[in-house]
Amino acid sequence: MAEAESIIGTPEVGDDAQPESAQPKGRRRIAALLVVAVLAYLLDLGSKMVVVAKLEHQPPIEIIGDLLRFEAVRNAGAAFGFGEAFTIIFTCIAATVIVVIVRLARKLYSLPWAIALGLLLGGALGNLTDRIFRSPGVFRGAVVDFIAPAHFAVFNLADSAIVCGGILIVLLSFRGLDPDGTVHKD
C-alpha cells in the first residue's frame, strides 16, 4: 500500500504534508505575492516622494479638467480623513494586517489570492511607512494623499492597492476559492 501511495503521489498524513508538486507551486504563489507587494509598495513610495518634492505647497495640477487633479494632502486619519485622533490605532491595524498576510502566505496555493494579498500587503506597507516615518512623529505620521477625483476623497496608490486587493478578495470569496486553492460550491 505504501508503495502504491508513493507511485501515485499521495502525501503522507501530517499537519503540513503537501504533495511534492504542490510545494514548488506554493513557493511560486508566495513569490507572486511578494512581487505584487513590492511593486505596489515601490509605486506608492515613489509617487509620494515625487508628490512631496514637486507638488507639496503648490497649487493642484488638473489632469482631466475638473474631474481629476493631483493635490498634495497630509492625512492623519483613516479613509476620507476620519479619525485623525486615532492615528496610532490605524498604525497598529496596518501592522496586524501585515502579520496576518505573512502568516497566511504559508498556506497559499492560489495565484488570484496571491495577487489580492500582495496588493493588500503592498498598500498596508506603503501607508504604514508614512505612519512611522512622516511628521509629526513615529506612529503618528500623516499619510501623503494626492489623487483627487471630483466629489470624492483624496487618496494615494497604497489606498488604491488596498481597495483593489479587498475587492478581489470579495470576488474570490463569492466564487468559493480559498487561499489554499480549494473551491467550495455552497
Side-chain angles (χ1 to χ4, degrees):
M1 178 94 167
E3 185 178 332
E5 286 178 353
S6 67
I7 291 172
I8 60 172
T10 304
E12 293 182 27
V13 177
D15 291 337
D16 294 321
Q18 293 289 333
E20 287 182 31
S21 63
Q23 289 175 349
K25 185 178 179 183
R27 285 189 207 120
R28 286 193 298 259
R29 300 306 183 245
I30 292 171
L33 180 150
L34 292 175
V35 166
V36 170
V38 167
L39 185 61
Y41 177 72
L42 291 177
L43 285 171
D44 178 64
L45 185 63
S47 66
K48 289 174 180 174
M49 290 171 66
V50 169
V51 166
V52 169
K54 303 288 185 187
L55 191 57
E56 202 163 47
H57 309 297
Q58 300 295 324
I61 299 172
E62 291 189 7
I63 304 300
I64 305 174
D66 291 338
L67 296 177
L68 178 67
R69 67 183 191 279
F70 288 162
E71 177 180 7
V73 174
R74 296 289 181 124
N75 179 3
F80 310 111
F82 292 121
E84 288 188 21
F86 301 105
T87 303
I88 220 160
I89 293 171
F90 301 132
T91 304
C92 292
I93 291 170
T96 302
V97 167
I98 291 165
V99 169
V100 168
I101 291 171
V102 169
R103 289 186 54 101
L104 184 60
R106 296 180 306 149
K107 299 176 184 177
L108 189 62
Y109 291 95
S110 166
L111 181 60
W113 271 93
I115 293 168
L117 292 174
L119 288 167
L120 284 177
L121 181 59
L125 285 169
N127 283 339
L128 183 61
T129 299
D130 281 358
R131 300 268 184 222
I132 293 172
F133 296 108
R134 296 209 187 269
S135 63
V138 176
F139 300 117
R140 296 180 294 123
V143 173
V144 175
D145 289 333
F146 64 93
I147 303 169
H151 312 294
F152 196 72
V154 182
F155 58 94
N156 58 43
L157 295 181
D159 299 334
S160 297
I162 291 168
V163 168
C164 290
I167 289 170
L168 186 53
I169 286 172
V170 168
L171 293 174
L172 293 171
S173 297
F174 277 129
R175 294 199 64 211
L177 181 61
D178 288 343
D180 66 1
T182 58
V183 178
H184 298 280
K185 299 289 182 184
D186 292 0

